[in-house]
Amino acid sequence: MTPTHSQAIPRKAARGFLRKYVFSTDHQIIGKQYYFLALFSALVAMLLSWLMRVHLAWPRLAIPGLGELSAAGAPNGMMTPEYYLSLLTMHGTLMIFFVLTTAPQSGFGNCFLPAQIGADEMAFPRLNMLSFWLTFTSLGALLSSFWARGGPATSGWTAYPPLSGLGSITGPGEGWGQSLWIISIALFCVGSLLGALNFITTTLDLRARGMTLMRMPLTAWAWFVTAILMLLSFAVLLAACVLLMLDRAAGTSFFIPAGLIVSGQMIQGHQGGSPLLWEHLFWFFGHPEVYIAILPAMGLTSHLLSCFARKPVFGYRAMVWATIAIGFLGFLVWGHHMFVSGMNPYSAFAFSVLTVVIAVPSAVKTFNWLGTLWGGRLRLTTAMLFALGFVSIFVSGGLSGIFLAEPPVDVQLHATYFVVAHFHLVMGMAAMFGIFSGTYFWFPKMFGRMMNETLGKIHFILTFIGAYCVFMPMYFLGMAGNVRRYAQFVDPYLQPLMPLHRFITVAALGLGAAQMIFVFNLFGSLFGGEKAGENPWEATTLEWVAASAGKDLVVYRGAYEYAVPGKEKDYVMQNAPDASGSRAEKGARDGNAN
Amino acid sequence: MATQTKLSVLEETRGGDGDGGNWGEGSRGRFGWDPGAALPVGLTGIWIAMASITMFFAAFTSAMVVRAGLGADWTRVALPHILYLNTAILLASSLTLELSKHCLKAGRAGQFSGWLFATAGLGIAFLAGQLDAWRELAARGVYLARNPACSFFYLLTAAHGIHLAGGLLALFYLVARHRRIAEGAIGGTALKVTTLYWHFMDILWLYLFLMLILWV
Amino acid sequence: MARVLSFTIVLGTAVTVILFWRRVWWFPPNISTQGAGVDREFGLTLLVTGILFVAAQLILAYCIGRGRKSGRAAYNTGNLRMEVARAVLAAATFIGLALSSYRTWARMYFIGAPRNALRIQVEAEQFAYWFRYPGPDGVFGPMHLRLVNDATGNYFGLDPTRDPASRDDIVTATLGIPENRPIELLLMSRDVIHSFYVPQLRIQQDIVPGMVIPIHFTATRTGDYEIVCTQLCGLGHYAMRAPLKVMKEPNFKKWLAKQAAEQ
Ligand code: HEM
Ligand SMILES: [Cu+2]
Ligand SMILES: [Cu+2]
C-alpha cells in the first residue's frame, strides 16, 4: 500500500520515466503538471486575447498568419464575426477553467497543501493522478474544437441555450464545437470533483500532530474552503452539462422552448423548456466558481503580506471566518447575474441584498491586509510586490461589484464593458497576480533554485501598470454603453470610443509582451537559477522545514509567528519546539489566534 | 464516479500508527478532530463523495420541480409497477449487507460470505428490474424525449443506476476477497465504506422514487 | 522599488479620480422618467465606493512607500473590536446602498404599466427586431407560428384574412414612440435569447424565447436613438440593432399613419 505519513516507510523509488514524471502519483509532480498545464493554457488564452483586441481596434486589418491558422475563420487574415466569438469562448473558458481553477488550487494546492499541514502525500494519490489526466483530456477536447467543422463554440463561456442547444442551425461552431465544449467541461467537472474530494480528505485527516485547524496557514484554509466550493458547485455544473447534452443530442426539452423558428426553419419536437433554467443552474455553479478562482489567491496574499512584512497576520481568526463566510454566502447570490434575465424581480432584490452582504467578508479581508502591512518591515521581493499588487487590483475591481449588485444600476451596466472591467480586475488579474506571487514565492521549493529578482521586478511593474491600462478604461467604455461580446463596433454611438479601444489594445499587447519576461525568467531559472537554501524567505510554515527534519512533524504554534518579542530571530517556525512550552506560552498563542 | 480508482483506494488507511495517545499541548483540533489520529481516509472520503453526489441529484430534482412548474407540456407518466418491487429489493439488499457485517463481527465467516453474496445478487436484481421498467415504458412508446416528465424519469433512474453500479463493483471487490476479509486480514475499511455507500444509494433511491411518484 | 510602486499607485488613483470627476467618458444623457433614479443611484454609489477606493489605495501606497524602518515590527495580531466595528460599518454602508436602489427598481419592475400606456409588441430574431402596434382597435391579432415568413414580411405570423383583429395591426422595423407617454413593450423572441437595450432610456431587458416579458417606461426627450442587443445571440450579435424614434405626439400619429399606409 501507499506509505503513510507517520510510518517511516521510505517512498518506493519510482521506476522509469513514465511512472515518475507522467503517470505519477506523487503530489508534487502532479502539482507541477497542473501548473504547467495552466501555464500553457494561459499563454494560448493570452494569444487569443491579443487577436481579439487587435481585431476590435482595427477591424479591417488583416492579421498576418491568422489566415494560415484558420482559413475559414479568418480568410486572408480578416477575422469573421463568428471566429471572434470562437476566440472569445475559448479565451474565457481557458482562463476560467484551465488557468484560474487549475493553477492556484490544483497546482499550488497539490504541491503545498500536504507540505503545509505536515502530511507527506495527498489522501488518495491514485485518484489524484486520475484527476489530473481527466483535466488533461478535458483540455485536449476543448482545444481539438479548433479543428472541428465550424470551429470552436461561439456561445461564450456561459453557453446559454437555445443558442448552445440546437446544433449548427444557430450558427457555425454550434455543431461539433459546442458538443466538444460540453464534453470538455463535463470531464473537467469530474476531474475537479475528484480533486476536491482529495483536498478535503487530506485536510481533515492528514494534518500533523498539533496542526489544529486554527493553526493552519491561510493558504491551507483557502484550499480547503475552495475544495468544498468545488465539490458542491461542479456537481451542479456536471448535471447541467448532462441536461444540455441531452437537449442537443436526444431531443429532450429541458432548456429548449417549443415553437422556435431559427433562420426561417421551424424547430420540431421540442416542448416548453426554459432557457432560464440553464441560467440558474449555470450561475449556481458560476458564482462559487469566481470564488474558487480568487480564494486561493486571497489566502496566498495574506500569507505573503505577513511573511514579507515580518508581522503576524492582522486578525487571523477574522480571515478564517471571512473565508468560510465567502464560501457559504457564495452559494446564495447567483441571481445577481440574472437581474435582467426575466427572472422574478422580487427575488432579484433579495439577491441584491445578499450580494452586498458577501462584499463584507471581502472588505474585512482588505482591512486586515492593510492592517498587516501597517507598521510592517516590508521586504519588497517580487513575490511581495505581486501580493501588494493583488490588494490594489482587488480593490479596484471589487468596488465596482457594488454597482452591479444594485439591480437598477446593473440594468444600465449589465453586459457592457463595465462588467468586463470588473471581472478582469477582481478575478482575472487579481488571481493572475496570485499565481505570479505564488510562483516567485514557491519556485525555490518546487525547483530548488531561485528566480531572478531583477527580471521579476521588471515583470511586476510592467504587469501592474499594464493591467490598469488595459482594464480601468473599460469601466468608461461600459458607462458609455459599449456592449460586450461584440465582434466589431459598428454602431454610430460607439465610434467616439474607438481611440480608447486602440489605447487598450496597445496596452494589452504591452501587457502580453511583459509576460514573456516571466516565461523567460521561469525557464531560465529552472535550469540556471541560483541554488536555493532551505528557507530562503525566512518563513514559518511547514513547507519550508528542512527535509532533514524528518517526516514526523509536530506543530507547536500558529502559522504567522513573526516578530515575536523575546525571540532570537524575528520568526518562529510552526514546528519549533519550545523550551518554555508552558501555559504562558500557550496563552500568548491563544491571544494571537484572535 | 471513477469506480476503478475508487476500488483501489477503498482500503487505504492513513494517519497515525495507532498510538492515538496524548501528544502534548495543542494536539486536539478546535473542531474536535484529532489531528494525526488514525482515521481511515476512505471513510472520510466516502462521506465527502456522498455530499457531492447529493448536490448532483439535488440539481436534477430541483430542475425537475422547476420544469414541472412551467406548465402546459408536463404530462404525467404512469410509473411501471415493477419499481415497487425494485424498491423492496434494494431495501432488502441493505438489510443483507448489514447482516453480513454483523456476522463478520460475530465471527461467523460462512454467513458473512453468504449475506455478502446475497447483497450483490440483490443489487444485480435491482438493476435488472430498473432495466425492465425502461423496457416496459419503451413498449408503451414512452421514450426519453416523448415529454419532459419521462425525460426526467429516464434521467434520474439512469443517473442513480450508474452510481449504484459503482457500489456494485465495490461489492464485487469484496466478494472476490471474501475469504481474506473473513480472516480479518484485509478490508475492514473497504467493507465499511461500501456499506455506507450502499445505504446511501438506498436512501437516494427512496428520495428519487418519492420525487418520481410526486412529479412524474 | 518601494518609491516606484507607491508613486504608481498614487498616480493611478489620481488619474482615475480625475477621469471620473471630469466625466471624460460618461453615460449618454438620460431620456426617461425612471432614468434619473438610476443616475442618482450610480452617483451615490460612485461617491461611497470612490471614497473607499481612494482611502484603500492611499493607505496601501503609504504602507509601501513609508520607507524602511529598522528593528522589528510590533507583534500585533489584530484588534477584535476594531475589526468588528469596521465589518459592521461596511455592512451598513453596502446594505444601505442596496436598499436605496429599491425605489427605482420597484418603479421599473414591481408595478405594471399605467392603463393609458401604449402597448407595442417586440419580436426579436437572429439578427433583427420587429415591432407591432395594435392599431385603432387596440387589440393584437393572434400569431400563427406556421405563417411566420420573413421573405413576405409576415414577421409575426398574422392572418388578416381570418383574424379581423390583425387587419389594422401595424408592423414596423423602427420603434416609433410618442414623448411623455407611458410605453409598454411586450418582448418576445423567436429563436435564441436576445436583449433590448437603449442606454439613453436606462433600460435593458433580456428577450427570452418561450416567454413574453413586459417592460415599461416613459421617454422624455425627442430624438433618434438606437436599440442594441446585449445578449450573445450568434455571429450577427454585434450588428443587431434597430432605430428608436421618440416624437412629439402629433408627429407620432402622423408617423404611425404613414407606416400603416405603407403596409
Ligand atoms: C492578457 C490579458 C487579457 C486580455 C487583453 C483580455 C481580453 C479580453 C477580451 C478582449 C475579451 C472579450 C470582451 C468581449 O468581447 O466582450 C475578454 C473576455 C473574457 N476574458 Fe479576458 N483578457 C485577459 C485576461 C483574462 C484573464 C486573466 C481572465 C481570467 C478570468 C479572463 C477571462 C475572461 C472571460 C471569462 C471573458 C468573457 C468571455 C465571455 O464573454 O464568454 N481574461 N477578455
Ligand atoms: Cu456572481
Ligand atoms: Cu444579440
Side-chain angles (χ1 to χ4, degrees):
Chain A
M1 289 265 77
T2 27
T4 69
H5 81 284
S6 52
Q7 291 160 348
I9 303 170
R11 201 182 285 263
K12 260 186 266 164
R15 285 151 313 213
F17 178 81
L18 266 190
R19 268 308 181 89
K20 189 153 180 220
Y21 293 112
V22 183
F23 297 104
S24 169
T25 56
D26 180 336
H27 69 103
Q28 293 185 17
I29 300 283
I30 294 176
K32 288 176 199 167
Q33 287 174 324
Y34 270 119
Y35 181 85
F36 283 109
L37 180 135
L39 186 68
F40 169 76
S41 307
L43 288 174
V44 174
M46 196 184 73
L47 191 75
L48 301 183
S49 78
W50 272 8
L51 296 175
M52 291 192 294
R53 276 314 319 174
V54 169
H55 179 69
L56 289 177
W58 292 283
R60 273 174 295 281
L61 182 80
I63 301 174
L66 193 59
E68 283 72 60
L69 209 66
S70 170
N76 304 320
M78 301 278 289
M79 198 183 289
T80 61
E82 57 271 28
Y83 200 60
Y84 179 87
L85 295 179
S86 291
L87 299 184
L88 169 81
T89 306
M90 293 300 261
H91 166 80
T93 309
L94 283 170
M95 284 293 194
I96 296 264
F97 293 97
F98 294 94
V99 181
L100 298 195
T101 310
T102 300
Q105 176 77 7
S106 311
F108 291 143
N110 260 308
C111 283
F112 296 109
L113 173 69
Q116 284 196 335
I117 61 174
D120 72 356
E121 244 311 340
M122 297 291 277
F124 308 107
R126 269 165 286 187
L127 208 58
N128 207 12
M129 178 180 87
L130 183 69
S131 306
F132 172 76
W133 286 105
L134 279 167
T135 310
F136 184 85
T137 315
S138 155
L139 178 61
L142 186 72
L143 292 179
S144 68
S145 67
F146 269 113
W147 291 274
R149 185 180 326 152
T154 56
S155 59
W157 83 284
T158 51
Y160 282 6
L163 181 63
S164 63
L166 291 174
S168 52
I169 186 168
T170 57
E174 289 308 309
W176 268 106
Q178 188 68 53
S179 293
L180 283 168
W181 186 91
I182 298 171
I183 292 168
S184 162
I185 296 306
L187 285 172
F188 191 91
C189 288
V190 180
S192 302
L193 289 172
L194 299 181
L197 174 76
N198 222 335
F199 271 60
I200 298 171
T201 311
T202 306
T203 313
L204 289 180
D205 284 1
L206 300 189
R207 280 170 288 133
R209 298 176 187 181
M211 179 59 86
T212 61
L213 287 175
M214 279 302 175
R215 282 178 180 172
M216 288 203 306
L218 289 169
T219 35
W221 263 109
W223 289 319
F224 180 52
V225 174
T226 302
I228 296 174
L229 292 187
M230 288 171 83
L231 187 82
L232 302 179
S233 66
F234 274 103
V236 174
L237 182 64
L238 180 60
C241 283
V242 170
L243 297 181
L244 186 57
M245 205 60 198
L246 285 174
D247 271 5
R248 289 172 62 83
T252 53
S253 316
F254 299 111
F255 308 128
I256 310 293
L260 300 187
I261 304 175
V262 183
S263 338
Q265 218 175 310
M266 294 224 355
I267 303 291
Q268 305 289 353
H270 284 289
Q271 298 163 50
S274 163
L276 287 191
L277 184 55
W278 166 268
E279 293 187 33
H280 280 294
L281 290 172
F282 181 85
W283 287 115
F284 187 85
F285 147 79
H287 192 83
E289 167 61 25
V290 308
Y291 287 109
I292 290 168
I294 203 64
L295 279 177
M298 285 176 151
L300 186 54
T301 300
S302 312
H303 197 72
L304 296 188
L305 292 184
S306 170
C307 175
F308 292 112
R310 311 311 291 173
K311 267 186 78 200
V313 166
F314 188 88
Y316 172 88
R317 243 156 215 268
M319 291 303 225
V320 170
W321 284 108
T323 308
I324 295 171
I326 287 176
F328 175 71
L329 290 168
F331 283 105
L332 304 179
V333 299
W334 77 91
H336 65 212
H337 298 270
M338 298 173 62
F339 288 149
V340 304
S341 67
M343 159 181 90
N344 179 330
Y346 294 95
S347 62
F349 204 76
F351 279 123
S352 160
V353 174
L354 284 167
T355 300
V356 294
V357 169
I358 203 177
V360 174
S362 294
V364 165
K365 279 181 177 276
T366 309
F367 291 146
N368 286 354
W369 288 325
L370 296 175
T372 305
L373 287 173
W374 194 265
R377 302 290 182 268
L378 270 53
R379 295 183 183 170
L380 292 184
T381 60
T382 309
M384 176 62 159
L385 290 173
F386 273 104
L388 294 167
F390 175 97
V391 177
S392 172
I393 297 240
F394 181 77
V395 167
S396 302
L399 284 171
S400 59
I402 306 286
F403 294 86
L404 300 171
E406 295 172 54
V409 183
D410 183 59
V411 160
Q412 181 68 5
L413 297 172
H414 186 81
T416 68
Y417 268 81
F418 193 90
V419 176
V420 179
H422 164 68
F423 73 71
H424 272 102
L425 286 169
V426 76
M427 173 181 70
M429 282 301 124
M432 286 310 285
F433 272 53
I435 294 174
F436 287 135
S437 61
T439 306
Y440 286 103
F441 181 67
W442 277 318
F443 190 87
K445 196 72 206 174
M446 288 168 85
F447 301 106
R449 292 170 187 275
M450 307 296 289
M451 285 181 79
N452 183 310
E453 283 284 313
T454 312
L455 285 180
K457 282 174 185 160
I458 298 172
H459 171 223
F460 165 74
I461 199 73
L462 292 179
T463 305
F464 187 67
I465 296 173
Y468 269 119
C469 288
V470 174
F471 295 112
M472 278 310 252
M474 291 188 186
Y475 282 129
F476 299 110
L477 292 175
M479 287 158 59
N482 195 327
V483 179
R484 72 188 268 216
R485 292 171 162 183
Y486 272 12
Q488 279 178 43
F489 302 117
V490 289
D491 306 72
Y493 79 98
L494 295 179
Q495 298 319 307
L497 301 173
M498 284 316 282
L500 199 51
H501 273 295
R502 298 205 183 98
F503 171 79
I504 291 174
T505 295
V506 172
L509 293 174
L511 176 61
Q515 304 320 305
M516 297 308 134
I517 303 177
F518 172 73
V519 174
F520 176 77
N521 192 352
L522 186 76
F523 287 102
S525 307
L526 206 54
F527 300 108
E530 188 189 322
K531 283 260 187 299
E534 285 292 355
N535 188 358
W537 313 117
E538 300 187 303
T540 53
T541 44
L542 296 188
E543 77 266 34
W544 301 107
V545 170
S548 57
K551 293 292 179 195
D552 233 344
L553 290 172
V554 182
V555 172
Y556 293 93
R557 66 196 73 247
Y560 301 104
E561 296 293 273
Y562 294 98
V564 186
K567 297 284 171 179
E568 180 195 344
K569 292 200 211 135
D570 77 337
Y571 68 105
V572 188
M573 296 198 68
Q574 286 193 277
N575 68 328
D578 233 312
S580 63
S582 60
R583 279 188 182 278
E585 177 63 31
K586 197 160 184 292
R589 269 202 318 280
D590 283 353
N592 163 32
N594 159 34
Chain B
M1 295 255 20
T3 322
Q4 281 302 325
T5 312
K6 193 157 66 199
L7 281 179
S8 54
V9 300
L10 274 176
E11 284 194 295
E12 277 172 32
T13 313
R14 314 188 121 247
D17 32 24
D19 64 350
N22 177 13
W23 296 313
E25 55 174 71
S27 68
R28 187 163 283 274
R30 277 191 210 267
F31 292 168
W33 255 287
D34 246 346
L39 275 179
V41 286
L43 217 51
T44 314
I46 201 68
W47 277 106
I48 295 163
M50 291 185 324
S52 188
I53 295 171
T54 303
M55 225 36 213
F56 182 68
F57 281 93
F60 279 152
T61 48
S62 53
M64 177 166 86
V65 172
V66 170
R67 184 66 182 78
L70 291 177
D73 62 339
W74 191 267
T75 30
R76 302 195 58 160
V77 181
L79 293 176
H81 290 302
I82 192 169
L83 291 180
Y84 292 94
L85 179 63
N86 294 349
T87 308
I89 290 177
L90 195 58
L91 286 174
S93 75
S94 265
L95 198 67
T96 54
L97 191 54
E98 273 305 311
L99 284 172
S100 160
K101 227 170 76 174
H102 180 76
C103 292
L104 181 67
K105 225 183 253 163
R108 296 196 292 264
Q111 289 181 25
F112 155 73
S113 306
W115 289 123
L116 194 61
F117 280 64
T119 310
L122 288 171
I124 296 171
F126 173 80
L127 281 187
Q130 296 290 81
L131 281 177
D132 190 71
W134 283 15
R135 213 185 36 81
E136 183 187 329
L137 282 181
R140 274 197 250 145
V142 180
Y143 295 111
L144 174 66
R146 169 73 175 276
N147 66 51
C150 62
S151 302
F152 275 106
F153 176 82
Y154 282 107
L155 177 76
L156 294 177
T157 47
H160 175 263
I162 291 171
H163 283 84
L164 188 110
L168 207 51
L169 286 180
L171 279 176
F172 291 163
Y173 171 87
L174 296 178
V175 163
R177 285 163 185 69
H178 69 102
R179 287 234 172 75
R180 305 209 45 213
I181 296 174
E183 288 162 10
I186 55 163
T189 312
L191 186 62
K192 267 191 220 152
V193 168
T194 309
T195 314
L196 209 55
Y197 185 72
W198 195 258
H199 292 335
F200 173 62
M201 281 297 118
D202 215 345
I203 295 168
L204 179 63
W205 171 249
L206 287 182
Y207 165 70
L208 293 177
F209 193 36
L210 187 72
M211 293 303 280
L212 290 174
I213 290 173
L214 289 176
W215 299 99
V216 169
Chain C
M1 203 61 204
R3 293 265 166 74
V4 179
L5 181 54
S6 58
F7 175 75
T8 310
I9 293 176
V10 172
L11 183 71
T13 309
V15 171
T16 308
V17 169
I18 291 171
L19 288 176
F20 272 101
W21 196 271
R22 305 288 305 270
R23 303 193 170 192
V24 178
W25 296 279
W26 207 251
F27 295 93
N30 162 46
I31 60 158
S32 76
T33 46
Q34 94 283 6
V38 174
D39 289 0
R40 194 172 341 101
E41 200 54 40
F42 182 88
L44 185 62
T45 312
L46 184 61
L47 183 71
V48 174
T49 55
I51 291 170
L52 293 175
F53 169 76
V54 173
Q57 300 288 5
L58 291 188
I59 294 174
L60 182 65
Y62 170 77
C63 288
I64 297 168
R66 185 186 42 119
R68 276 167 175 270
K69 286 206 190 126
S70 54
R72 273 186 205 182
Y75 183 81
N76 181 354
T77 58
N79 178 337
L80 190 62
R81 202 181 288 168
M82 187 162 131
E83 286 165 53
V84 170
R86 287 191 298 201
V88 169
L89 199 66
T93 315
F94 294 161
I95 294 175
L97 278 176
L99 293 180
S100 71
S101 72
Y102 177 87
R103 284 249 315 273
T104 310
W105 182 248
R107 180 166 179 179
M108 289 158 92
Y109 281 101
F110 291 177
I111 51 172
R115 277 184 179 282
N116 64 340
L118 173 63
R119 303 178 87 207
I120 305 168
Q121 280 185 343
V122 180
E123 164 106 343
E125 66 166 316
Q126 282 181 325
F127 301 98
Y129 298 93
W130 307 106
F131 308 96
R132 173 156 75 133
Y133 300 77
D137 66 355
V139 179
F140 294 108
M143 296 164 63
H144 307 280
L145 220 53
R146 289 178 190 287
L147 298 181
V148 172
N149 189 337
D150 284 2
T152 60
N154 195 355
Y155 305 110
F156 286 82
L158 306 184
D159 187 356
T161 51
R162 296 244 194 88
D163 308 319
S166 297
R167 282 179 203 148
D168 61 349
D169 289 4
I170 305 157
V171 175
T172 66
T174 298
L175 178 60
I177 55 169
E179 184 194 42
N180 293 332
R181 177 161 161 210
I183 308 290
E184 180 173 37
L185 299 181
L186 305 168
L187 304 174
M188 301 175 292
S189 165
R190 162 200 303 184
D191 39 37
V192 302
I193 307 180
H194 299 277
S195 190
F196 179 98
Y197 180 40
V198 181
Q200 292 86 348
L201 284 175
R202 307 291 188 257
I203 278 211
Q204 178 172 189
Q205 173 63 57
D206 278 2
I207 312 180
V208 184
M211 295 173 78
V212 180
I213 300 176
I215 55 171
H216 61 92
F217 58 87
T218 306
T220 55
R221 207 186 296 171
T222 59
D224 289 319
Y225 309 95
E226 247 184 285
I227 302 160
V228 293
C229 179
T230 57
Q231 187 58 261
L232 181 49
C233 57
L235 61 93
H237 172 50
Y238 74 103
M240 177 164 168
R241 58 196 157 151
L244 167 71
K245 219 174 163 54
V246 184
M247 294 163 274
K248 297 258 183 250
E249 184 83 37
N251 293 351
F252 169 70
K253 292 236 166 71
K254 258 185 260 162
W255 175 84
L256 198 60
K258 190 161 154 254
Q259 301 295 317
E262 281 172 8
Q263 298 266 307

